[in-house]
Amino acid sequence: MTNDLLPDDIAQRRPCGSIGPGDDGGTVVVAGFVEDLRNLGNIAFLTVRDRSGKVQLTLLKKKMPELFALASSLSRESVVAATAKVQRSEKANAGFELLPSQLRLLGAAESPLPLGPADAVGVEVETALNNRFLDLRRPQTMAVFLCRAAILRGVREQLQQEDFIEVQTPKIVATATEGGAGLFPMQYFERKAYLNQSPQLYKQILMASGLDRVWEVGPAFRAEEHNTTRHLNEFTSIDIEMAYADDEAVMGVLERVLQAAMRSLNEHAPDALRTLGVTLVPPQLPLPRITYDHCRALAAKRDITVAFGEDLSMEVLRAIADELPDLYFITRWPSAAKPFYIRPVPDSPQHSFAFDLQYREKEITSGGQRVHDVGMLQQRLLDQGLDPEAFAYYLKAFRYGMPPHAGWGLGADRLTLILTQRENVRECVLFPRDRERIVP
RNA sequence: GCCCCGGUAGUGUAGUGGCCUAUCAUACGAGCCUGUCGAGCUCGUGACUCGGGUUCAAAUCCCGGCCGGGGCGCCA
């Protein structure tokens, strides 16, 4: 039994970017998209591209009339495979070219293309998203997602090294994490359920399980009608929760995770960074920590009054960012501005052990030490107008031995946005979900 | 949720009442070319978001719909 869809030697396929003048005289198999075809009459040049790079196939009409005819008939972005001899060449910009002995069309592309990956014109985000698979054939777009993978790889390696256990928590839930707003309702057989807005409650429950240190990378859903370049209704959250730890301890984990993400980018995606024109210098640790009260004072210096308990507006955050390095923590937030599960400071309970990690004016992480006393948790639920009955399954985990713990949630999409220096978070998500878009 | 802005060939754009039978680039089709690699040259195809209104005249002004972009709030 043979498989006639692929050439017999396809298993020997080499990434285009791995072939060089050093392969002179050898035979290689390549496969990819036809980026460009330049037919000069008696000689034609075909550029084939895969994820790793491009190669030029050179076809002489006299020497290989059938291949020349086939190559000349190809439409851009069609998928081809070729077996070819590598020849060092001064005439080719790359210093070598491929002389094919076999060429096969594996998947023809229709024309015109809804988006030309090799076109010398810009592409609007809207057009790119509507044709994402073609957009991804553009080196710049491809590079963003190669970077995203390298970032997650660095995060994963660092957390594993610090003995965190990777877990998955449910995305279909019965109650809100922090109140009723912002949830997508769904029909769950005969009952109403919701898409989870955060793994917060579940990762805390796991602190009562003995798993000690857990982390999860997964989707979170927020039914908020925001319309900005940094919000999506489905986003990817990197979460940790750590027992026997306070806010300082998990801030330390976060700093090391960030540094690991940047190092991983430099190590595993240097070409992608170059394509994007990004140079990354991992920051010196520790990152600066400034308190919320200090932020208010900085705002006051610019004649902006921030009442205690009030959230920091974009205007205030920009003013603060002007005075600090790109990455910094804002600590000791007012208890009133943070969720019920954040622990108040004992000798100043209007303050809390909550922190945010900021990249200039953008918030990328929110975390803190948690309340682990069940009585205090119940009281804080009531204070925030929530019904402890609805949280019974969560509160139960605090009654039979719950270690003190802390944690954070880091936005994977925003982290990618920042590290790849893109402008819109939609550029950093393959198939983003916003107020208007659920297709593709 | 509040506010502002936009929609012109496949793609990206110029055009703010008549000079628009609409600009340019790119893509696409045909032709020429044995060294291209942003190939080149010649010729050609291809568009004003939809509906209503104002006007002698609307891509252009007004109203509404649809679609999109951005800011703020909120947050990851």
PDB file of all heavy atoms in Angstrom, chain A residues 184-210:
ATOM      1  N   PHE A 184     -20.090  35.005  31.484  1.00  0.00           N
ATOM      2  CA  PHE A 184     -20.883  34.512  30.363  1.00  0.00           C
ATOM      3  C   PHE A 184     -21.747  33.362  30.857  1.00  0.00           C
ATOM      4  O   PHE A 184     -21.217  32.321  31.246  1.00  0.00           O
ATOM      5  CB  PHE A 184     -19.973  33.984  29.244  1.00  0.00           C
ATOM      6  CG  PHE A 184     -19.301  35.062  28.458  1.00  0.00           C
ATOM      7  CD1 PHE A 184     -17.931  35.252  28.555  1.00  0.00           C
ATOM      8  CD2 PHE A 184     -20.029  35.868  27.595  1.00  0.00           C
ATOM      9  CE1 PHE A 184     -17.301  36.243  27.814  1.00  0.00           C
ATOM     10  CE2 PHE A 184     -19.403  36.859  26.844  1.00  0.00           C
ATOM     11  CZ  PHE A 184     -18.035  37.048  26.952  1.00  0.00           C
ATOM     12  N   PRO A 185     -23.066  33.521  30.825  1.00  0.00           N
ATOM     13  CA  PRO A 185     -23.923  32.409  31.241  1.00  0.00           C
ATOM     14  C   PRO A 185     -24.005  31.355  30.143  1.00  0.00           C
ATOM     15  O   PRO A 185     -23.836  31.667  28.966  1.00  0.00           O
ATOM     16  CB  PRO A 185     -25.297  33.067  31.432  1.00  0.00           C
ATOM     17  CG  PRO A 185     -25.265  34.303  30.602  1.00  0.00           C
ATOM     18  CD  PRO A 185     -23.828  34.703  30.433  1.00  0.00           C
ATOM     19  N   MET A 186     -24.227  30.141  30.515  1.00  0.00           N
ATOM     20  CA  MET A 186     -24.418  29.080  29.536  1.00  0.00           C
ATOM     21  C   MET A 186     -25.422  28.066  30.077  1.00  0.00           C
ATOM     22  O   MET A 186     -25.654  27.979  31.274  1.00  0.00           O
ATOM     23  CB  MET A 186     -23.092  28.392  29.207  1.00  0.00           C
ATOM     24  CG  MET A 186     -22.401  27.764  30.405  1.00  0.00           C
ATOM     25  SD  MET A 186     -21.035  26.701  29.958  1.00  0.00           S
ATOM     26  CE  MET A 186     -21.902  25.273  29.331  1.00  0.00           C
ATOM     27  N   GLN A 187     -25.998  27.338  29.156  1.00  0.00           N
ATOM     28  CA  GLN A 187     -26.972  26.323  29.540  1.00  0.00           C
ATOM     29  C   GLN A 187     -26.215  25.021  29.782  1.00  0.00           C
ATOM     30  O   GLN A 187     -25.509  24.538  28.899  1.00  0.00           O
ATOM     31  CB  GLN A 187     -27.998  26.147  28.416  1.00  0.00           C
ATOM     32  CG  GLN A 187     -29.210  25.375  28.831  1.00  0.00           C
ATOM     33  CD  GLN A 187     -30.014  26.112  29.907  1.00  0.00           C
ATOM     34  OE1 GLN A 187     -30.111  27.341  29.874  1.00  0.00           O
ATOM     35  NE2 GLN A 187     -30.574  25.373  30.844  1.00  0.00           N
ATOM     36  N   TYR A 188     -26.341  24.476  30.997  1.00  0.00           N
ATOM     37  CA  TYR A 188     -25.669  23.221  31.317  1.00  0.00           C
ATOM     38  C   TYR A 188     -26.761  22.199  31.618  1.00  0.00           C
ATOM     39  O   TYR A 188     -27.237  22.106  32.745  1.00  0.00           O
ATOM     40  CB  TYR A 188     -24.749  23.414  32.512  1.00  0.00           C
ATOM     41  CG  TYR A 188     -23.805  22.252  32.750  1.00  0.00           C
ATOM     42  CD1 TYR A 188     -22.706  22.054  31.926  1.00  0.00           C
ATOM     43  CD2 TYR A 188     -24.036  21.363  33.779  1.00  0.00           C
ATOM     44  CE1 TYR A 188     -21.853  20.998  32.131  1.00  0.00           C
ATOM     45  CE2 TYR A 188     -23.187  20.293  34.001  1.00  0.00           C
ATOM     46  CZ  TYR A 188     -22.090  20.117  33.171  1.00  0.00           C
ATOM     47  OH  TYR A 188     -21.234  19.071  33.374  1.00  0.00           O
ATOM     48  N   PHE A 189     -27.181  21.467  30.595  1.00  0.00           N
ATOM     49  CA  PHE A 189     -28.352  20.607  30.716  1.00  0.00           C
ATOM     50  C   PHE A 189     -29.521  21.426  31.257  1.00  0.00           C
ATOM     51  O   PHE A 189     -29.830  22.462  30.690  1.00  0.00           O
ATOM     52  CB  PHE A 189     -28.038  19.365  31.541  1.00  0.00           C
ATOM     53  CG  PHE A 189     -26.879  18.592  30.937  1.00  0.00           C
ATOM     54  CD1 PHE A 189     -25.652  18.540  31.579  1.00  0.00           C
ATOM     55  CD2 PHE A 189     -27.009  17.951  29.712  1.00  0.00           C
ATOM     56  CE1 PHE A 189     -24.586  17.857  31.013  1.00  0.00           C
ATOM     57  CE2 PHE A 189     -25.945  17.273  29.140  1.00  0.00           C
ATOM     58  CZ  PHE A 189     -24.738  17.223  29.781  1.00  0.00           C
ATOM     59  N   GLU A 190     -30.091  21.013  32.391  1.00  0.00           N
ATOM     60  CA  GLU A 190     -31.273  21.725  32.869  1.00  0.00           C
ATOM     61  C   GLU A 190     -30.925  22.901  33.791  1.00  0.00           C
ATOM     62  O   GLU A 190     -31.798  23.603  34.271  1.00  0.00           O
ATOM     63  CB  GLU A 190     -32.239  20.769  33.590  1.00  0.00           C
ATOM     64  CG  GLU A 190     -31.707  20.118  34.863  1.00  0.00           C
ATOM     65  CD  GLU A 190     -30.681  19.021  34.599  1.00  0.00           C
ATOM     66  OE1 GLU A 190     -30.588  18.549  33.450  1.00  0.00           O
ATOM     67  OE2 GLU A 190     -29.970  18.657  35.544  1.00  0.00           O
ATOM     68  N   ARG A 191     -29.606  23.120  34.004  1.00  0.00           N
ATOM     69  CA  ARG A 191     -29.211  24.178  34.919  1.00  0.00           C
ATOM     70  C   ARG A 191     -28.482  25.297  34.201  1.00  0.00           C
ATOM     71  O   ARG A 191     -28.006  25.147  33.097  1.00  0.00           O
ATOM     72  CB  ARG A 191     -28.267  23.612  35.994  1.00  0.00           C
ATOM     73  CG  ARG A 191     -28.970  22.979  37.158  1.00  0.00           C
ATOM     74  CD  ARG A 191     -27.961  22.423  38.126  1.00  0.00           C
ATOM     75  NE  ARG A 191     -27.203  21.321  37.523  1.00  0.00           N
ATOM     76  CZ  ARG A 191     -26.114  20.786  38.068  1.00  0.00           C
ATOM     77  NH1 ARG A 191     -25.641  21.262  39.204  1.00  0.00           N
ATOM     78  NH2 ARG A 191     -25.496  19.791  37.480  1.00  0.00           N
ATOM     79  N   LYS A 192     -28.334  26.385  34.913  1.00  0.00           N
ATOM     80  CA  LYS A 192     -27.548  27.486  34.409  1.00  0.00           C
ATOM     81  C   LYS A 192     -26.123  27.348  34.942  1.00  0.00           C
ATOM     82  O   LYS A 192     -25.909  27.008  36.101  1.00  0.00           O
ATOM     83  CB  LYS A 192     -28.133  28.811  34.900  1.00  0.00           C
ATOM     84  CG  LYS A 192     -27.577  30.019  34.166  1.00  0.00           C
ATOM     85  CD  LYS A 192     -28.383  31.266  34.542  1.00  0.00           C
ATOM     86  CE  LYS A 192     -28.365  32.278  33.425  1.00  0.00           C
ATOM     87  NZ  LYS A 192     -29.194  33.443  33.725  1.00  0.00           N
ATOM     88  N   ALA A 193     -25.155  27.586  34.076  1.00  0.00           N
ATOM     89  CA  ALA A 193     -23.760  27.564  34.493  1.00  0.00           C
ATOM     90  C   ALA A 193     -23.068  28.765  33.848  1.00  0.00           C
ATOM     91  O   ALA A 193     -23.703  29.546  33.136  1.00  0.00           O
ATOM     92  CB  ALA A 193     -23.096  26.260  34.073  1.00  0.00           C
ATOM     93  N   TYR A 194     -21.767  28.901  34.128  1.00  0.00           N
ATOM     94  CA  TYR A 194     -21.023  30.051  33.609  1.00  0.00           C
ATOM     95  C   TYR A 194     -19.646  29.605  33.119  1.00  0.00           C
ATOM     96  O   TYR A 194     -19.120  28.576  33.559  1.00  0.00           O
ATOM     97  CB  TYR A 194     -20.825  31.101  34.712  1.00  0.00           C
ATOM     98  CG  TYR A 194     -22.115  31.578  35.317  1.00  0.00           C
ATOM     99  CD1 TYR A 194     -22.650  30.951  36.452  1.00  0.00           C
ATOM    100  CD2 TYR A 194     -22.815  32.630  34.744  1.00  0.00           C
ATOM    101  CE1 TYR A 194     -23.854  31.375  36.991  1.00  0.00           C
ATOM    102  CE2 TYR A 194     -24.020  33.064  35.282  1.00  0.00           C
ATOM    103  CZ  TYR A 194     -24.534  32.436  36.406  1.00  0.00           C
ATOM    104  OH  TYR A 194     -25.710  32.853  36.936  1.00  0.00           O
ATOM    105  N   LEU A 195     -19.099  30.408  32.240  1.00  0.00           N
ATOM    106  CA  LEU A 195     -17.686  30.210  31.872  1.00  0.00           C
ATOM    107  C   LEU A 195     -16.842  30.917  32.923  1.00  0.00           C
ATOM    108  O   LEU A 195     -17.101  32.073  33.266  1.00  0.00           O
ATOM    109  CB  LEU A 195     -17.413  30.808  30.479  1.00  0.00           C
ATOM    110  CG  LEU A 195     -18.114  30.106  29.321  1.00  0.00           C
ATOM    111  CD1 LEU A 195     -17.835  30.853  28.011  1.00  0.00           C
ATOM    112  CD2 LEU A 195     -17.663  28.658  29.211  1.00  0.00           C
ATOM    113  N   ASN A 196     -15.827  30.241  33.389  1.00  0.00           N
ATOM    114  CA  ASN A 196     -15.048  30.769  34.514  1.00  0.00           C
ATOM    115  C   ASN A 196     -14.258  32.016  34.129  1.00  0.00           C
ATOM    116  O   ASN A 196     -13.648  32.092  33.075  1.00  0.00           O
ATOM    117  CB  ASN A 196     -14.082  29.698  35.024  1.00  0.00           C
ATOM    118  CG  ASN A 196     -13.722  29.906  36.488  1.00  0.00           C
ATOM    119  OD1 ASN A 196     -12.942  29.157  37.045  1.00  0.00           O
ATOM    120  ND2 ASN A 196     -14.287  30.906  37.129  1.00  0.00           N
ATOM    121  N   GLN A 197     -14.277  32.993  35.022  1.00  0.00           N
ATOM    122  CA  GLN A 197     -13.553  34.232  34.753  1.00  0.00           C
ATOM    123  C   GLN A 197     -12.122  34.184  35.298  1.00  0.00           C
ATOM    124  O   GLN A 197     -11.327  35.065  35.017  1.00  0.00           O
ATOM    125  CB  GLN A 197     -14.313  35.430  35.312  1.00  0.00           C
ATOM    126  CG  GLN A 197     -14.549  35.367  36.802  1.00  0.00           C
ATOM    127  CD  GLN A 197     -15.530  36.409  37.318  1.00  0.00           C
ATOM    128  OE1 GLN A 197     -15.829  36.436  38.478  1.00  0.00           O
ATOM    129  NE2 GLN A 197     -16.011  37.265  36.434  1.00  0.00           N
ATOM    130  N   SER A 198     -11.822  33.168  36.094  1.00  0.00           N
ATOM    131  CA  SER A 198     -10.494  33.047  36.697  1.00  0.00           C
ATOM    132  C   SER A 198     -10.407  31.696  37.415  1.00  0.00           C
ATOM    133  O   SER A 198     -11.412  31.215  37.944  1.00  0.00           O
ATOM    134  CB  SER A 198     -10.295  34.174  37.714  1.00  0.00           C
ATOM    135  OG  SER A 198      -9.268  33.843  38.629  1.00  0.00           O
ATOM    136  N   PRO A 199      -9.234  31.074  37.455  1.00  0.00           N
ATOM    137  CA  PRO A 199      -9.094  29.827  38.221  1.00  0.00           C
ATOM    138  C   PRO A 199      -8.903  30.074  39.718  1.00  0.00           C
ATOM    139  O   PRO A 199      -8.644  29.126  40.469  1.00  0.00           O
ATOM    140  CB  PRO A 199      -7.833  29.189  37.610  1.00  0.00           C
ATOM    141  CG  PRO A 199      -7.051  30.332  37.083  1.00  0.00           C
ATOM    142  CD  PRO A 199      -8.018  31.417  36.701  1.00  0.00           C
ATOM    143  N   GLN A 200      -9.049  31.318  40.133  1.00  0.00           N
ATOM    144  CA  GLN A 200      -8.723  31.735  41.491  1.00  0.00           C
ATOM    145  C   GLN A 200      -9.225  30.792  42.593  1.00  0.00           C
ATOM    146  O   GLN A 200      -8.456  30.298  43.415  1.00  0.00           O
ATOM    147  CB  GLN A 200      -9.289  33.140  41.743  1.00  0.00           C
ATOM    148  CG  GLN A 200      -9.000  33.686  43.129  1.00  0.00           C
ATOM    149  CD  GLN A 200      -7.520  33.903  43.348  1.00  0.00           C
ATOM    150  OE1 GLN A 200      -6.781  34.219  42.424  1.00  0.00           O
ATOM    151  NE2 GLN A 200      -7.056  33.693  44.570  1.00  0.00           N
ATOM    152  N   LEU A 201     -10.529  30.543  42.604  1.00  0.00           N
ATOM    153  CA  LEU A 201     -11.096  29.773  43.716  1.00  0.00           C
ATOM    154  C   LEU A 201     -10.595  28.332  43.716  1.00  0.00           C
ATOM    155  O   LEU A 201     -10.318  27.759  44.774  1.00  0.00           O
ATOM    156  CB  LEU A 201     -12.633  29.816  43.638  1.00  0.00           C
ATOM    157  CG  LEU A 201     -13.329  30.964  44.371  1.00  0.00           C
ATOM    158  CD1 LEU A 201     -12.559  32.260  44.352  1.00  0.00           C
ATOM    159  CD2 LEU A 201     -14.730  31.194  43.813  1.00  0.00           C
ATOM    160  N   TYR A 202     -10.436  27.773  42.542  1.00  0.00           N
ATOM    161  CA  TYR A 202      -9.999  26.376  42.450  1.00  0.00           C
ATOM    162  C   TYR A 202      -8.535  26.208  42.830  1.00  0.00           C
ATOM    163  O   TYR A 202      -8.155  25.244  43.491  1.00  0.00           O
ATOM    164  CB  TYR A 202     -10.287  25.818  41.044  1.00  0.00           C
ATOM    165  CG  TYR A 202     -11.759  25.557  40.886  1.00  0.00           C
ATOM    166  CD1 TYR A 202     -12.593  26.511  40.315  1.00  0.00           C
ATOM    167  CD2 TYR A 202     -12.329  24.396  41.394  1.00  0.00           C
ATOM    168  CE1 TYR A 202     -13.957  26.301  40.218  1.00  0.00           C
ATOM    169  CE2 TYR A 202     -13.702  24.166  41.301  1.00  0.00           C
ATOM    170  CZ  TYR A 202     -14.509  25.121  40.712  1.00  0.00           C
ATOM    171  OH  TYR A 202     -15.850  24.911  40.636  1.00  0.00           O
ATOM    172  N   LYS A 203      -7.691  27.149  42.401  1.00  0.00           N
ATOM    173  CA  LYS A 203      -6.285  26.978  42.775  1.00  0.00           C
ATOM    174  C   LYS A 203      -6.121  27.182  44.281  1.00  0.00           C
ATOM    175  O   LYS A 203      -5.274  26.549  44.910  1.00  0.00           O
ATOM    176  CB  LYS A 203      -5.362  27.865  41.929  1.00  0.00           C
ATOM    177  CG  LYS A 203      -5.571  29.338  42.042  1.00  0.00           C
ATOM    178  CD  LYS A 203      -4.609  30.127  41.136  1.00  0.00           C
ATOM    179  CE  LYS A 203      -4.760  31.619  41.395  1.00  0.00           C
ATOM    180  NZ  LYS A 203      -3.711  32.444  40.816  1.00  0.00           N
ATOM    181  N   GLN A 204      -6.976  28.007  44.880  1.00  0.00           N
ATOM    182  CA  GLN A 204      -6.923  28.148  46.338  1.00  0.00           C
ATOM    183  C   GLN A 204      -7.383  26.864  47.034  1.00  0.00           C
ATOM    184  O   GLN A 204      -6.782  26.438  48.015  1.00  0.00           O
ATOM    185  CB  GLN A 204      -7.793  29.329  46.783  1.00  0.00           C
ATOM    186  CG  GLN A 204      -7.133  30.673  46.582  1.00  0.00           C
ATOM    187  CD  GLN A 204      -7.872  31.753  47.337  1.00  0.00           C
ATOM    188  OE1 GLN A 204      -8.725  32.434  46.779  1.00  0.00           O
ATOM    189  NE2 GLN A 204      -7.558  31.911  48.616  1.00  0.00           N
ATOM    190  N   ILE A 205      -8.455  26.267  46.502  1.00  0.00           N
ATOM    191  CA  ILE A 205      -8.923  25.005  47.088  1.00  0.00           C
ATOM    192  C   ILE A 205      -7.795  23.975  47.072  1.00  0.00           C
ATOM    193  O   ILE A 205      -7.620  23.194  48.022  1.00  0.00           O
ATOM    194  CB  ILE A 205     -10.160  24.489  46.318  1.00  0.00           C
ATOM    195  CG1 ILE A 205     -11.371  25.390  46.602  1.00  0.00           C
ATOM    196  CG2 ILE A 205     -10.479  23.032  46.702  1.00  0.00           C
ATOM    197  CD1 ILE A 205     -12.585  25.091  45.731  1.00  0.00           C
ATOM    198  N   LEU A 206      -7.002  24.004  45.998  1.00  0.00           N
ATOM    199  CA  LEU A 206      -5.902  23.036  45.892  1.00  0.00           C
ATOM    200  C   LEU A 206      -4.823  23.249  46.948  1.00  0.00           C
ATOM    201  O   LEU A 206      -4.052  22.336  47.242  1.00  0.00           O
ATOM    202  CB  LEU A 206      -5.294  23.093  44.482  1.00  0.00           C
ATOM    203  CG  LEU A 206      -6.202  22.516  43.385  1.00  0.00           C
ATOM    204  CD1 LEU A 206      -5.576  22.722  42.021  1.00  0.00           C
ATOM    205  CD2 LEU A 206      -6.497  21.046  43.640  1.00  0.00           C
ATOM    206  N   MET A 207      -4.788  24.450  47.529  1.00  0.00           N
ATOM    207  CA  MET A 207      -3.824  24.681  48.607  1.00  0.00           C
ATOM    208  C   MET A 207      -4.181  23.843  49.830  1.00  0.00           C
ATOM    209  O   MET A 207      -3.322  23.555  50.665  1.00  0.00           O
ATOM    210  CB  MET A 207      -3.768  26.164  48.981  1.00  0.00           C
ATOM    211  CG  MET A 207      -3.167  27.036  47.903  1.00  0.00           C
ATOM    212  SD  MET A 207      -1.457  26.584  47.438  1.00  0.00           S
ATOM    213  CE  MET A 207      -1.742  25.520  46.042  1.00  0.00           C
ATOM    214  N   ALA A 208      -5.439  23.445  49.920  1.00  0.00           N
ATOM    215  CA  ALA A 208      -5.866  22.588  51.023  1.00  0.00           C
ATOM    216  C   ALA A 208      -5.718  21.109  50.672  1.00  0.00           C
ATOM    217  O   ALA A 208      -6.154  20.243  51.411  1.00  0.00           O
ATOM    218  CB  ALA A 208      -7.319  22.888  51.386  1.00  0.00           C
ATOM    219  N   SER A 209      -5.108  20.832  49.520  1.00  0.00           N
ATOM    220  CA  SER A 209      -5.003  19.448  49.055  1.00  0.00           C
ATOM    221  C   SER A 209      -3.632  18.855  49.291  1.00  0.00           C
ATOM    222  O   SER A 209      -3.418  17.667  49.097  1.00  0.00           O
ATOM    223  CB  SER A 209      -5.288  19.385  47.548  1.00  0.00           C
ATOM    224  OG  SER A 209      -4.151  19.855  46.823  1.00  0.00           O
ATOM    225  N   GLY A 210      -2.671  19.712  49.659  1.00  0.00           N
ATOM    226  CA  GLY A 210      -1.305  19.224  49.794  1.00  0.00           C
ATOM    227  C   GLY A 210      -0.476  19.379  48.540  1.00  0.00           C
ATOM    228  O   GLY A 210       0.716  19.102  48.535  1.00  0.00           O
TER     229      GLY A 210
END
